[in-house]
Amino acid sequence: MVEARVRVIYGDTDQMGVVYHANYFRYFEFARGEYFRARGGSYRELERDGLMLPVVEATASYRSPARYEDVLLVRTLVSEVKRVSLTFTYEIFREGGSDIPLVTGRTVHACVSREGKPTRLPEAIVRMLQEAP
């Protein structure tokens, strides 16, 4: 598991002063990048090698709102690896808040070539994603 911190900016909130629901997917994306970096890799390297990991499914369950200036902890892990796909799961907590997540979610990613054809995940990438940081 990798933990990323992100501060809620004013532009992330709606008229009610809470984080707009779609912005949690941006936090998931940020945390995925941090997950790769914590393990010595990056999306950029994958793309340089001709591979992409588009999101093919995304879900979020909202339990409690985050607000402007909150520092959020996004806990991320790879929960499933298949031949041509992988799944990230997320829990978002308010720093200094309770042990109950504000939001939980998951994204499923297909491994595809630049041409969009399904491609087997390279073994080196699978090892990198599953090793402890």
Side-chain angles (χ1 to χ4, degrees):
M1 175 180 46
V2 170
E3 191 171 271
R5 285 180 168 68
V6 62
R7 183 177 303 274
V8 175
I9 63 171
Y10 186 77
D12 285 348
T13 63
D14 60 18
Q15 189 173 9
M16 295 177 287
V18 301
V19 171
Y20 177 67
H21 71 278
N23 286 323
Y24 289 102
F25 292 101
R26 290 179 48 246
Y27 302 156
F28 293 170
E29 181 179 359
F30 170 74
R32 279 195 309 276
E34 294 300 305
Y35 190 95
F36 271 87
R37 279 187 280 288
R39 285 171 163 68
S42 74
Y43 268 4
R44 181 173 287 175
E45 290 170 9
L46 276 175
E47 291 175 352
R48 238 188 333 248
D49 293 339
L51 299 175
M52 295 184 226
L53 294 174
V55 175
V56 296
E57 182 179 330
T59 61
S61 296
Y62 308 98
R63 299 187 172 141
S64 187
R67 300 180 184 281
Y68 173 61
E69 285 288 322
D70 283 349
V71 174
L72 304 178
L73 306 177
V74 186
R75 293 184 183 152
T76 307
L77 61 92
V78 172
S79 58
E80 184 176 42
V81 177
K82 294 184 178 178
R83 227 174 88 182
V84 297
S85 69
L86 64 132
T87 302
F88 286 91
T89 58
Y90 313 90
E91 294 180 313
I92 298 180
F93 300 85
R94 183 178 292 108
E95 187 172 62
S98 78
D99 293 342
I100 299 170
L102 304 174
V103 175
T104 59
R106 76 183 193 108
T107 54
V108 179
H109 303 258
C111 183
V112 299
S113 66
R114 282 193 181 109
E115 295 76 32
K117 295 183 186 218
T119 303
R120 186 180 193 98
L121 280 161
E123 192 57 39
I125 300 298
V126 171
R127 278 195 310 276
M128 181 210 34
L129 291 173
Q130 292 181 324
E131 290 176 358

